[in-house]
Amino acid sequence: MTTLAILTAAGSGSRLGRDLPKALVELGGLPLLLHAARRLAASGVVDALVVTSPPGLVDVVRGLVAADPHVEVPVRVVEGGATRQASVAIGLGLASPADDVVLVHDAARPLVPVTLVRRVVDAVRAGHGAVVPGLAVTDTVKQVEPGPGPELVVGTPERSVLRAVQTPQGFDRTLLERAHTTGAARAVAEHLAATDDAGLVEALGEPVHVVRGDEAAFKITTERDLRLAELVLQDQA
Ligand code: C5P
């Protein structure tokens, strides 16, 4: 039985304000997607990778991965879809019946520690069908009625029960396939699509469990995040 990791890298990353897709932006001289691919491979618990590429860049991404001797598992590259959910569904289509566990990881989280990858896979293999890494929330979170002006607060969830979730998220393959099949209609547009795969499992009414996340697995969205990642990378060296 094997674990397949889907590495989502098809986004444009427009908030980073670069000309190229976020997954190809360099951190310490290496594209974000290669950092993530290396770490998934180095975890020792991932048997193969599927990378979802930005539109028109399949050959570029394939070339990058093929030229990297540190990605020591078989890698297939497919063009992603219009939303993250659609990209994951395309990647999942390449899973084989032998892949009993599927991880989904964002290239936008390049510095994911191998220990976190192992923790997620271990929890799935221990019998939890859907596992997400999560961190306690330090800010108080307000629920609002979204709007252009000052927004009306409609609630303050109890902070101690909130978790900010990360990737990789890990799943029993058949459960993730059922979740994507059932939620497929949402994948067509950003405002409908699930922002994480666990959300699709929750929509089925199936349990999702949280394991301890890791601050190093933070997501790169802005230029400031990228600068922070440079510092974290230096610290890890
Ligand atoms: O845009 P955001 O950072 O939330 O995207 C999360 C991850 O999903 C990124 O790694 C991005 O490349 C990926 N993605 C994708 N296909 C899309 C949109 C985003 O694979 N259509």
Side-chain angles (χ1 to χ4, degrees):
M1 288 294 152
T2 52
T3 299
L4 174 74
I6 299 168
L7 180 58
T8 64
S12 65
S14 47
R15 283 167 292 185
L16 209 47
R18 303 285 181 98
D19 285 342
L20 73 173
K22 179 161 64 181
L24 298 180
V25 169
E26 291 193 355
L27 165 64
L30 194 73
L32 297 187
L33 79 89
L34 287 185
H35 281 281
R38 283 183 179 191
R39 285 156 186 260
L40 289 167
S43 70
V45 294
V46 168
D47 298 285
L49 270 175
V50 169
V51 182
T52 70
S53 152
L57 293 175
V58 169
D59 289 342
V60 172
V61 171
R62 201 174 277 143
L64 278 173
V65 179
D68 188 340
H70 298 286
V71 182
E72 292 174 339
V73 296
V75 182
R76 285 164 289 171
V77 181
V78 284
E79 187 161 303
T83 61
R84 181 187 182 282
Q85 184 185 332
S87 294
V88 174
I90 292 167
L92 194 52
L94 271 61
S96 82
D99 298 317
D100 55 337
V101 175
V102 174
L103 285 184
V104 184
H105 183 64
D106 291 339
R109 299 181 186 273
L111 300 182
V112 57
V114 293
T115 49
L116 180 57
V117 180
R118 293 177 195 143
R119 189 146 68 237
V120 171
V121 172
D122 285 352
V124 179
R125 295 215 170 272
H128 299 299
V131 175
V132 303
L135 291 174
V137 172
T138 51
D139 289 324
T140 295
V141 175
K142 300 286 183 193
Q143 185 177 352
V144 298
E145 270 175 19
E151 296 170 316
L152 180 66
V153 172
V154 294
T156 306
E158 164 63 35
R159 190 170 63 184
S160 64
V161 298
L162 297 177
R163 300 289 177 265
V165 304
Q166 307 177 312
T167 69
Q169 300 190 346
F171 305 90
D172 170 88
R173 177 184 47 81
T174 56
L175 176 61
L176 186 61
E177 285 173 346
R178 190 154 61 87
H180 271 273
T181 302
T182 305
R186 299 173 56 186
V188 294
E190 207 60 68
H191 69 286
L192 298 172
T195 52
D196 78 343
D197 300 281
L200 293 173
V201 173
E202 291 164 53
L204 291 179
E206 296 289 347
V208 174
H209 286 87
V210 178
V211 295
R212 184 168 40 88
D214 193 304
E215 283 182 358
F218 72 97
K219 183 167 154 186
I220 294 181
T221 304
T222 64
E223 192 64 43
R224 182 179 174 280
D225 298 330
L226 200 56
R227 300 219 304 263
L228 183 62
E230 298 278 359
L231 293 176
V232 174
L233 189 62
Q234 284 166 23
D235 271 5
Q236 288 180 349

